[in-house]
Amino acid sequence: MDKRPIGVFDSGLGGLSTVRAMKKILPNEDIVYFGDTGRVPYGSRSNETIETYAAQDIKFLETFSCKMIVAACGTVSTTAAHVLDKLSEPATGITKPSAKAAAMATTNNIIGVMGTSATVNSNAFEAEIHKTNPEAKVVSVACPLLVSLVENNWIDIDDEVANATVKRYIKPIIEAGADTIILGCTHFPILAPIIQKVAGGYVKLIDTGYEEAMYVKDVLRKNNLENESTHIGSRKYYVSDKTQNFCSVANILLGEDIESKCEFIDIFKYI
Ligand code: DGL
């Protein structure tokens, strides 16, 4: 039994796809979320910068004495995993749980990966998939504009720009014959209805938010860290820029009004 909160972070709104899944899978857990909205996107930056940002994000979350740190950011998970590995508390990113799910889900051994440029350049998903399924062919595509679509709330299933952008990005994955696609950036599960429509119903989408939340549940159980109280967990959201835009998209994604639970913080203080 451990009542301390779980710290979750991302460059912006994307990590809310993990929070959305955690609310269902781990309803009693308290969550502190940090979205680095003042410095999004991470995916076009150097590994060194991403590492520095991730270390600051974690420093901030550690002020809440979190029992676990969750990088709900594909870019941090794939390029700065060593920052997570060094922590004294349990920590995870999205790479392992999602790669394993994809490796097991594919029936034709062709897997697509949609991610940021940094994630695709890292080859981390490919390496992780091959640990479970060495035969799999992996086709990775960098889809940076999808991050901006989500940050700007262009996420409606009929949004013309979002549909056209997804179509253009996933063409090589579909042409390669992938039957499974990892949504390898946590912003992308938010666009899952569009991606599914464009890819076709037969393609299995791996929702990195869901897979990560299931993995967190497992880590808490194995380490005896679960919050066994019967109350619904509290959730607090922090951002590094103005709260309005974050809240208006978050309210839709999470299905609740988070305005009173969201605050600005100066991330530059955490070095
Ligand atoms: N949500 C992020 C990811 O999973 C980051 C997108 C970005 O900041 O470029 O990669």
Side-chain angles (χ1 to χ4, degrees), residues 128-228:
E128 205 56 49
I129 289 167
H130 285 154
K131 284 186 192 163
T132 309
N133 184 345
E135 305 298 314
K137 176 180 172 192
V138 181
V139 185
S140 301
V141 178
C143 313
L145 293 180
L146 298 188
V147 176
S148 308
L149 292 178
V150 172
E151 292 290 324
N152 288 285
N153 201 11
W154 290 22
I155 57 176
D156 190 88
I157 188 152
D158 294 319
D159 187 281
E160 278 172 36
V161 177
N163 274 268
T165 312
V166 166
K167 201 172 199 168
R168 180 152 167 183
Y169 277 138
I170 67 169
K171 197 162 175 253
I173 294 178
I174 300 303
E175 281 176 358
D179 69 351
T180 305
I181 300 177
I182 298 179
L183 306 178
C185 164
T186 52
H187 280 71
F188 301 170
I190 294 163
L191 294 167
I194 299 177
I195 298 171
Q196 188 75 70
K197 187 172 79 169
V198 174
Y202 65 93
V203 174
K204 175 142 178 56
L205 301 185
I206 303 297
D207 178 335
T208 35
Y210 170 80
E211 299 302 337
E212 187 170 45
M214 290 299 286
Y215 189 82
V216 171
K217 183 181 166 85
D218 205 41
V219 171
L220 294 183
R221 191 181 47 77
K222 285 187 179 142
N223 291 283
N224 218 7
L225 290 173
E226 290 157 307
N227 186 342
E228 282 156 357

Side-chain angles (χ1 to χ4, degrees), residues 10-15 39-45 72-78 94 115-117 119 144 147 151 183-188 208:
D10 178 42
S11 58
L13 283 155
R39 303 190 293 194
V40 67
Y42 281 11
S44 51
R45 299 182 193 275
C73 173
T75 304
V76 169
S77 310
T78 53
I94 66 166
T116 62
S117 305
T119 290
V147 176
E151 292 290 324
L183 306 178
C185 164
T186 52
H187 280 71
F188 301 170
T208 35

Side-chain angles (χ1 to χ4, degrees), residues 34 36 39 48-49 51-63 83 265-271:
F34 174 62
D36 199 0
R39 303 190 293 194
E48 292 71 27
T49 302
E51 223 170 89
T52 306
Y53 288 0
Q56 285 183 294
D57 302 347
I58 292 166
K59 264 230 160 89
F60 167 66
L61 290 174
E62 283 178 336
T63 62
V83 174
I265 59 113
D266 180 3
I267 193 64
F268 293 100
K269 281 192 192 152
Y270 300 87
I271 39 172

